[in-house]
Amino acid sequence: EGAAAILLCPLSLAKQRGHSILGVIEGIGVSNDGQSKGFLAPAKNGQIRAMTQAYANSAVLPEQIRLLECHATGTSVGDQTELDSLTEFFQQTPLSLNSLKANLGHLITASGMASIVKLVQAFQHQTLPPQRADLLRPSIASAGFNVPTEASHWPSEQQFTGINNFGFGGNNAHLILSSYSAHQSLPDTKPTQACSQPLNISQMATTIDAEKMTIDRSKLAFPPIELEKSLAQQSAIFELVQENVTQHKDFPTERTGVIIGMQCDPEVCRFVFRWNLVNWQQQWVGPEKNDQSSQQWLKKQRDLHTKALDSDGVIGAMPNIPANRLNRQYDWQGLGFTVSSDHLSGIDALQLGIDYINNHILDCAIIGAVDLAADEVHLAAIKNCNIAQYSQDGVAVLVLSKQTSGAQPCA
């Protein structure tokens, strides 16, 4: 477990206000694998698309990267896939490879932010950080890469780095980070301007009765059991899209993304209850009374609240999968994620979609919102708080896209 935080500010504003500039984000690329081998299987092409997008929007060239902070979770397939994508994209660039996970462990959703903190510290100390490396793959050396095991001097003007961060659901991200001294050595380039123009809403649908929704299993791009073991928010948004949204032929799949607004599902608390019940029982009856009858009672109570998680259940409970299941079904290879900001989740998802199209990151965005407010846990919480409120399930989706004809060029 871990947490990290950074303060972001436009570079021009930071200089104007005299802020201490610890690092500069030079570019970001985000993609999804689309119809790949599965939610847990990495795909080289998706990782390369993220890196390509990052450098296409940056003044930094791939050959300027000195250190690459890898995702590198220590799995045989995942690590080799990442090495393959790095080899193909960076070719003969003599990269030094690092991964914070070997020193600190995997911080899951905070791992990318932790890598930023690590590299900013390396900038400040002008030190190329050493890497704990007990067992290295032969393909690292054959690709021309190296893994430093001792610290070395890192001149400020050479402090250009890349950070890989990948995730379940086929998500890929690559961030280019530099020290301020290194940034100042780059040629002046005019950043791509956001282009605020009218956008098309070509398709839309909504429902308020999620319990009566059905899914056509014959057309699924993944095993049906995955949906059976997913939280209701996943199946609800998936069914609405399957029934009402057709593939948008005017835009390439790699330029089509998915953004879903949703509140946190209270059902996930059942899994935490199941895990904690073991410790609670020992506190209630004491470890010396851990006999067969106690174990039977424990098993019955745990199964009463929820069954044990298997791999499909884990995927079904992940909050990003409502978006990524659509990425995979329709081979939408742009970014895909969910937004949770309470009652504004859907509105925030829509605003993000507008921003991504205006900033030329996407050409088309599938925007969804789902809130199962009639869930029994939600209703019980409202009752216990003595709140007089009418609650109803709600699911909505729309297709947002740039205009393909009659649009005026950006100034």
Side-chain angles (χ1 to χ4, degrees):
E1 295 180 350
I6 59 176
L7 176 62
L8 295 179
C9 179
L11 183 58
S12 58
L13 188 59
K15 291 191 291 186
Q16 177 185 329
R17 294 179 175 178
H19 290 175
S20 176
I21 301 173
L22 304 180
V24 180
I25 296 175
E26 303 284 359
I28 298 177
V30 185
S31 72
N32 188 274
D33 293 336
Q35 287 184 357
S36 61
K37 298 177 181 178
F39 287 127
L40 306 181
K44 181 182 72 172
N45 291 338
Q47 296 175 9
I48 291 176
R49 282 199 308 275
M51 290 185 277
T52 301
Q53 183 188 116
Y55 292 92
N57 298 321
S58 172
V60 178
L61 302 174
E63 53 265 31
Q64 290 179 276
I65 298 299
R66 179 69 176 86
L67 178 68
L68 200 294
E69 177 76 7
C70 299
H71 183 63
T73 57
T75 63
S76 57
V77 174
D79 286 0
Q80 188 58 55
T81 300
E82 184 172 12
L83 281 171
D84 291 344
S85 66
L86 293 176
T87 301
E88 182 171 330
F89 183 81
F90 287 96
Q91 299 183 356
Q92 300 303 313
T93 302
L95 286 176
S96 293
L97 304 184
N98 261 202
S99 176
L100 183 61
K101 296 179 182 68
N103 298 71
L104 193 64
H106 194 347
L107 300 186
I108 314 296
T109 51
S111 60
M113 290 280 284
S115 293
I116 293 176
V117 174
K118 165 195 167 179
L119 293 174
V120 167
Q121 290 288 311
F123 293 161
Q124 293 179 317
H125 291 280
Q126 293 191 325
T127 299
L128 196 69
Q131 177 67 54
R132 178 180 177 180
D134 300 325
L135 183 63
L136 295 177
R137 290 176 170 271
S139 52
I140 294 177
S142 62
F145 305 145
N146 75 90
V147 178
T149 55
E150 295 183 359
S152 60
H153 179 61
W154 193 7
S156 297
E157 65 274 9
Q158 298 178 10
Q159 292 175 343
F160 294 104
T161 70
I163 301 175
N164 276 345
N165 212 220
F166 310 136
F168 292 144
N171 297 302
N172 311 292
H174 184 82
L175 182 143
I176 308 168
L177 185 70
S178 76
S179 65
Y180 184 46
S181 296
H183 172 82
Q184 291 177 305
S185 69
L186 295 172
D188 290 332
T189 57
K190 186 177 181 180
T192 303
Q193 296 295 315
C195 183
S196 298
Q197 292 203 25
L199 303 179
N200 293 331
I201 298 178
S202 56
Q203 302 173 57
M204 61 188 303
T206 185
T207 182
I208 58 172
D209 195 353
E211 289 187 358
K212 295 183 179 181
M213 302 173 74
T214 59
I215 293 174
D216 184 355
R217 298 189 176 196
S218 65
K219 298 180 180 179
L220 294 181
F222 47 84
I225 194 172
E226 290 187 7
L227 271 182
E228 291 177 8
K229 295 190 175 183
S230 67
L231 298 180
Q233 290 170 319
Q234 282 193 32
S235 52
I237 193 69
F238 183 90
E239 194 278 339
L240 192 66
V241 172
Q242 186 188 56
E243 188 173 286
N244 296 280
V245 176
T246 57
Q247 188 80 353
H248 209 304
K249 303 297 183 182
D250 294 333
F251 303 110
T253 58
E254 63 267 20
R255 300 281 297 172
T256 301
V258 184
I259 310 169
I260 305 297
M262 54 173 271
Q263 289 188 303
C264 294
D265 194 324
E267 289 296 315
V268 298
C269 296
R270 296 184 185 274
F271 303 121
V272 180
F273 181 90
R274 178 185 173 90
W275 301 330
N276 287 338
L277 195 57
V278 177
N279 295 328
W280 291 340
Q281 185 207 33
Q282 292 185 358
Q283 294 174 13
W284 295 335
V285 302
E288 68 281 355
K289 294 184 179 180
N290 191 19
D291 53 18
Q292 184 177 358
S293 61
S294 296
Q295 288 300 309
Q296 291 175 345
W297 177 89
L298 178 62
K299 183 181 185 307
K300 180 180 179 180
Q301 293 301 316
R302 296 178 83 191
D303 292 343
L304 181 65
H305 287 84
T306 188
K307 298 296 183 181
L309 277 174
D310 56 15
S311 59
D312 291 328
V314 171
I315 293 295
M318 286 184 176
N320 57 297
I321 299 297
N324 298 149
R325 205 173 283 284
L326 295 170
N327 286 106
R328 185 179 178 189
Q329 176 71 21
Y330 298 99
D331 200 28
W332 290 325
Q333 299 171 13
L335 54 82
F337 58 84
T338 57
V339 181
S340 294
S341 50
D342 205 55
H343 61 287
L344 295 176
S345 299
I347 297 299
D348 287 350
L350 176 60
Q351 184 60 61
L352 284 168
I354 294 171
D355 291 345
Y356 286 135
I357 295 175
N358 285 339
N359 284 280
H360 318 288
I361 296 172
L362 297 175
D363 292 338
C364 180
I366 313 303
I367 309 297
V370 55
D371 187 6
L372 304 185
D375 174 270
E376 61 179 342
V377 175
H378 187 84
L379 293 176
I382 291 176
K383 182 178 179 180
N384 289 338
C385 293
N386 295 318
I387 299 175
Q389 178 178 328
Y390 173 74
S391 295
Q392 180 66 55
D393 296 338
V395 191
V397 65
L398 60 84
V399 179
L400 189 69
S401 62
K402 70 176 186 179
Q403 293 185 348
T404 55
S405 61
Q408 299 297 317
C410 293

